[in-house]
Amino acid sequence: MEFRPCIDIHNGYVKQIVGSSLKDENNEAVNNFVSDKDGAYYANLFKENNLKGGHVILLNPVDSDYRKASEEQAKCALLAFPDGLQIGGGINEENAWRYLDMGASHVIVTSYVFRCGRVNMENLEKISKCVGKDRLVIDLSCRKLDGEYKIVTDRWQNFTDISLNKETLDMFSGYCDEFLVHAVDVEGKSKGIEEDVVKILADGCGIPVTYAGGIHDYKDIETIRDAGKQKVNFTIGSALDIYGGDLLFDRVVSYDAR
């Protein structure tokens, strides 16, 4: 089990937001924390602690007036920790290598592959071939519907008909190196994790996977360790002290098996 830190960037600032509140219109989001430090500060912190595999997420869409400012933040983070961070948010076949050339170890795809409640297999095959399976991460963020966890698209607002299960994980693992899975109903709320999601990932995933969503105390980390059979990595945002929360960064790092 590894701690995979995050750097979320919105409107040119490193932030922590309530994930389900994000809207493209007017670049709106409910902020939990807005940092006065830049992406390089956090990237250097992660580098000093040998925390490879964290992710930088650009929360503004590619046509946003704030996209350029957010990309500048991302660039300074990637340059500070070359080959140590993944990047996601508006990634597609045409721009993926630009971020890899900036220093990202992997690109993370979401809307390029999942949109309007469907998976675009043609785009998935394109991006996998473009960057190579070993440099691609697929975001399989999910919400519960009728007793099942379904992959969600379009800022996590629309359900697909794709369930999060072993068959789905096996299928998508043929195209990527890792998965990033947000439990959307608890993302950014620091009120507890979705343990059932962790169990699905532990039992069904044959490649590295990072769970995100709801961690609010050290017991949650221990639950991920146990329910995840020490195979599921974890990330923490709003609850971490470097982002205004109560969990001590140094103590969280101590849970990292590395």
Side-chain angles (χ1 to χ4, degrees):
M1 182 177 79
E2 298 177 357
F3 169 46
R4 299 291 190 88
C6 62
I7 303 174
D8 293 348
I9 303 171
H10 184 244
N11 295 355
Y13 292 92
V14 176
K15 288 185 179 183
Q16 285 296 311
I17 69 168
V18 177
S20 59
S21 72
L22 185 63
K23 297 180 181 178
D24 290 347
E25 186 178 357
N26 299 321
N27 298 285
E28 293 180 356
V30 175
N31 296 327
N32 284 326
F33 175 81
V34 181
S35 180
D36 59 358
K37 298 177 175 63
D38 65 8
Y41 169 85
Y42 293 100
N44 279 312
L45 178 63
F46 304 153
K47 182 179 180 181
E48 290 165 5
N49 286 274
N50 192 34
L51 296 174
K52 280 194 169 186
H55 49 279
V56 178
I57 302 296
L58 294 159
L59 295 173
N60 293 106
V62 293
D63 58 352
S64 167
D65 292 338
Y66 291 97
R67 180 73 180 196
K68 184 176 180 180
S70 292
E71 287 194 343
E72 285 300 314
Q73 282 280 13
K75 183 177 180 180
C76 72
L78 296 176
L79 291 174
F81 193 4
D83 202 36
L85 295 165
Q86 305 167 359
I87 188 167
I91 304 296
N92 56 48
E93 181 192 12
E94 295 180 356
N95 64 22
W97 269 103
R98 179 158 61 90
Y99 298 108
L100 294 174
D101 288 340
M102 284 182 193
S105 65
H106 296 68
V107 290
I108 305 166
V109 290
T110 49
S111 58
Y112 184 66
V113 173
F114 299 100
R115 182 168 292 183
C116 300
R118 297 182 180 181
V119 57
N120 188 321
M121 292 302 299
E122 181 180 354
N123 281 357
L124 177 57
E125 291 173 1
K126 282 181 181 179
I127 192 75
S128 184
K129 289 179 180 177
C130 174
V131 303
K133 177 181 182 294
D134 61 338
R135 303 198 73 174
L136 185 66
V137 178
I138 298 178
D139 186 325
L140 294 179
S141 295
C142 61
R143 300 179 71 180
K144 203 165 192 177
L145 179 67
D146 298 330
E148 283 191 292
Y149 288 98
K150 298 286 189 179
I151 309 302
V152 288
T153 69
D154 310 301
R155 302 299 190 188
W156 301 338
Q157 302 303 310
N158 293 325
F159 286 93
T160 69
D161 60 358
I162 304 169
S163 299
L164 185 72
N165 54 34
K166 187 179 188 307
E167 291 72 26
T168 296
L169 294 166
D170 283 345
M171 189 276 287
F172 284 113
S173 67
Y175 297 91
C176 65
D177 196 42
E178 297 188 14
F179 294 120
L180 174 63
V181 179
H182 295 82
V184 175
D185 288 328
V186 296
E187 170 66 20
K189 298 179 181 178
S190 298
K191 293 183 178 179
I193 66 169
E194 291 268 21
E195 186 175 346
D196 288 342
V197 173
V198 176
K199 290 178 179 177
I200 292 169
L201 300 179
D203 293 337
C205 200
I207 62 174
V209 57
T210 298
Y211 168 87
I215 294 175
H216 79 297
D217 58 22
Y218 302 109
K219 185 178 179 181
D220 282 335
I221 303 174
E222 292 160 7
T223 299
I224 292 171
R225 180 190 61 203
D226 297 338
K229 302 177 181 178
Q230 301 191 49
K231 298 189 295 184
V232 178
N233 303 322
F234 68 99
T235 191
I236 304 176
S238 302
L240 207 56
D241 63 344
I242 60 173
Y243 294 130
D246 295 326
L247 300 190
L248 302 178
F249 176 79
D250 290 342
R251 182 171 174 183
V252 169
V253 171
S254 74
Y255 285 93
D256 190 305
R258 289 171 289 190

